[in-house]
């Protein structure tokens, strides 16, 4: 059986200092963020996901966005080297967590940089955003790690959003969901739909047609219902102030054997 495990990391005391790149900074309520994070984790667990907490990294304001620290393909973990220097120490705890699981652990080395939020997997195709946080050498190292395992790596330029998955994700049937103007080269994603809200382009496949998504995209939730899916909205407004989304708050580990 394939696993349904997810790594998460609780927000730290310096969350409000997190990086912002494409939006204006607004105040973050740390207490509300913690409550929202707990609700997010509860939603995963309610839908059959076993969550494991990565050790805190309280000196790293962005550490709650744990997805950026590792990329999983099948049973292989590629520990990243984040593009922002302030985020590089975050990977130590993630590496310790994946090392306890039955997977092979690899690492991105300098001069490569890679953020997990730039990696979108659809079947055996891995789309990698090349832009502000992920560089050419990071893509090269990801390719070297995963192509021998059967992956096909497609490089996608990213200039309009923080990460590739800030602008596009995929539905259970392989249809891509995006919002107008977020992706530089939409032609690389055939079979896509444009959703009415930017936050609606971010979904996590929970299984059984259930889609974890931000509560800030009610029109998109209605659209997904019309398509036969079951939206599971969660309030992540405090993390959205830091360009966060539902995808970056966890690492879904589907390729491990339970």
């Amino acid at each position: 059986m394939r696993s349904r495990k997810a790594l998460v990391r609780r927000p730290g005391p310096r969350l409000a200092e997190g990086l912002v790149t494409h939006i204006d900074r607004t105040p973050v309520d740390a207490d509300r963020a913690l409550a929202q994070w707990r609700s997010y984790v509860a939603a995963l667990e309610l839908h059959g996901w076993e969550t494991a907490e990565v050790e805190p990294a309280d000196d790293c304001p962005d550490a709650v966005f744990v997805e950026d620290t590792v990329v999983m393909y099948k049973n292989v973990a590629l520990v990243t080297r984040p593009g922002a220097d302030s985020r590089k120490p975050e990977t130590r705890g993630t590496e310790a967590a994946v090392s306890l699981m039955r997977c092979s652990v690899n690492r991105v080395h300098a001069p490569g940089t890679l953020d997990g939020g730039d990696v979108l997997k659809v079947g055996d195709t891995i789309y990698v955003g090349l832009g502000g946080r992920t560089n050419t050498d990071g893509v090269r190292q990801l390719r070297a790690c995963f192509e021998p395992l059967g992956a096909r790596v497609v490089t996608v330029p990213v200039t309009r959003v923080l990460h590739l998955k800030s602008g596009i994700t995929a539905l259970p049937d392989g249809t891509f969901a995006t919002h107008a103007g977020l992706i530089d080269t939409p032609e690389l994603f055939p079979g896509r739909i444009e959703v009415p809200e930017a936050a609606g382009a971010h979904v996590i496949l929970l299984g059984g047609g259930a889609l974890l998504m931000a509560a800030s995209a009610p029109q998109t939730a209605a659209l997904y219902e019309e398509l036969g899916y079951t939206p599971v909205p969660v309030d992540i407004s405090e993390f959205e102030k830091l360009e966060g989304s539902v995808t970056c708050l966890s690492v879904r580990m589907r390729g491990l054997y339970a």
Side-chain angles (χ1 to χ4, degrees):
M1 292 179 61
R2 294 292 185 178
S3 69
R4 288 165 62 87
K5 297 181 180 178
L7 297 180
V8 295
R9 180 187 256 151
R10 68 181 54 234
R14 296 180 58 191
L15 176 67
E17 302 171 37
L19 299 171
V20 290
T21 305
H22 293 270
I23 61 175
D24 294 330
R25 184 176 296 279
T26 55
V28 174
D29 185 325
D31 291 337
R32 187 179 184 196
L34 179 58
Q36 291 178 350
W37 178 83
R38 287 172 173 156
S39 296
Y40 172 93
V41 172
L44 287 172
E45 293 174 344
L46 183 63
H47 287 82
W49 288 81
E50 176 188 350
T51 62
E53 278 198 47
V54 176
E55 66 182 31
D58 287 348
D59 288 336
C60 298
D62 293 290
V64 68
F65 303 121
V66 67
E67 181 188 48
D68 290 323
T69 60
V70 67
V71 177
M72 299 296 306
Y73 179 70
K74 298 184 178 179
N75 70 326
V76 175
L78 178 62
V79 177
T80 69
R81 186 170 180 267
D85 288 342
S86 64
R87 301 201 62 189
K88 287 180 171 64
E90 297 175 24
T91 61
R92 288 194 294 267
T94 305
E95 181 170 352
V98 297
S99 295
L100 295 175
M101 300 178 177
R102 291 186 290 175
C103 58
S104 173
V105 180
N106 298 266
R107 300 165 194 84
V108 175
H109 299 284
T113 61
L114 176 70
D115 274 20
D118 278 321
V119 180
L120 172 61
K121 293 170 289 183
V122 182
D124 287 320
T125 300
I126 302 179
Y127 297 89
V128 186
L130 179 62
R133 298 285 178 87
T134 294
N135 67 16
T136 301
D137 198 67
V139 175
R140 179 191 64 79
Q141 292 184 52
L142 179 141
R143 191 185 301 274
C145 185
F146 293 144
E147 280 190 340
L149 304 177
R152 180 176 73 98
V153 177
V154 178
T155 303
V156 183
V158 173
T159 64
R160 304 178 185 181
V161 288
L162 177 60
H163 292 125
L164 176 61
K165 280 196 285 192
S166 301
I168 192 166
T169 57
L171 301 175
D173 66 356
T175 299
F176 294 99
T178 188
H179 181 69
L182 296 184
I183 299 299
D184 295 61
T185 52
E187 64 273 13
L188 292 176
F189 302 94
R192 65 189 179 277
I193 60 171
E194 288 192 355
V195 299
E197 297 135 321
H202 318 140
V203 298
I204 289 176
L205 311 186
L206 293 173
L211 305 176
L212 188 67
M213 60 181 296
S216 57
Q219 296 178 52
T220 307
L223 172 61
Y224 290 150
E225 283 189 314
E226 292 176 5
L227 295 174
Y229 298 113
T230 304
V232 179
V234 289
D235 183 3
I236 57 164
S237 58
E238 297 308 306
F239 303 107
E240 289 174 319
K241 295 175 181 178
L242 298 168
E243 297 177 277
S245 69
V246 289
T247 62
C248 56
L249 290 169
S250 62
V251 180
R252 284 74 59 199
M253 308 177 76
R254 297 179 172 90
L256 299 181
Y257 287 96

